[in-house]
Amino acid sequence: SQPPPPMPKVGVAVFLLKGNKVLLGRRLSSVGRNTFALPGGHLEFGESFEECAAREVKEETGLEIEKTEYLTVTNNVFSQEAKATHIVCVFMRAVPADINQQPQNLEPEKCDGWDWYDWDDLPKPLFGPLEIMLQHGFSPFPTT
Ligand code: 8DG
Ligand code: MG
Ligand code: MG
């Protein structure tokens, strides 16, 4: 019998906001290697977007989050990768529960380390899906 065809997966990525800064880390995973991306990961069976956001941020950075809100969704086909990947990515925003808690690099095989970056002075290169959103003028900050 043949192997099952590849399927799209659901990703959840989190704009963790602190003042006008966002938390980014340089990816070491194969998809988007060496680009700066948000914390996040794959939705598990039965999870809400908020639960997935909190779990992935905790697993990857040790940070607890609150005020978690849905922002938008994008369809991301990574056809150039060695293993073609298709992720429907749900973008959330949140704030750290404790603004004094420092992010830890808890998955050093997947990320070079986390840091806060000024929204007006983001590091390059950004992860493809993020770069495209910014080119379209997307902002994760609440409008007051
Ligand atoms: P897991 O095993 O912990 O569930 O997954 P992960 O290893 O943490 O997954 P990930 O690659 O960090 O995130 C899942 C997918 O979400 C990723 O392959 C593509 C999509 N995605 C985007 N934009 C972003 C982003 O800015 N950050 C993250 N982490 N994922 C993103 O489209
Ligand atoms: Mg993860
Ligand atoms: Mg991840």
Side-chain angles (χ1 to χ4, degrees):
S1 66
Q2 291 185 331
M7 299 280 286
K9 288 183 183 167
V10 179
V12 173
V14 184
F15 287 95
L16 194 55
L17 306 178
K18 187 160 96 166
N20 72 334
K21 293 178 189 289
V22 295
L23 191 74
L24 296 172
R26 205 159 56 83
R27 289 173 69 82
L28 300 176
S29 326
S30 59
V31 176
R33 186 185 302 256
N34 285 330
T35 63
F36 287 87
L38 305 167
H42 297 98
L43 189 70
E44 292 184 356
F45 190 88
E47 248 181 350
S48 69
F49 299 149
E50 290 79 7
E51 287 166 346
C52 182
R55 177 182 56 74
E56 285 288 344
V57 171
K58 179 83 181 171
E59 286 175 358
E60 296 183 352
T61 74
L63 296 175
E64 311 266 355
I65 64 173
E66 60 184 34
K67 296 186 181 161
T68 310
E69 293 177 48
Y70 167 84
L71 291 176
T72 192
V73 62
T74 67
N75 186 43
N76 303 311
V77 179
F78 303 92
S79 48
Q80 313 295 12
E81 301 288 332
K83 187 167 170 284
T85 305
H86 180 178
I87 311 283
V88 175
C89 189
V90 177
F91 290 84
M92 309 292 285
R93 75 167 162 233
V95 298
D98 173 2
I99 57 159
N100 295 315
Q101 195 187 347
Q102 296 303 312
Q104 300 166 260
N105 192 17
L106 296 181
E107 294 182 343
E109 71 289 355
K110 287 187 179 180
C111 178
D112 190 47
W114 300 103
D115 217 335
W116 299 101
Y117 294 92
D118 224 82
W119 185 250
D120 301 316
D121 191 17
L122 294 175
K124 287 187 176 82
L126 290 173
F127 189 25
L130 212 50
E131 176 65 34
I132 290 165
M133 290 165 82
L134 265 70
Q135 284 169 9
H136 288 82
F138 179 83
S139 165
F141 294 94
T143 48
T144 48

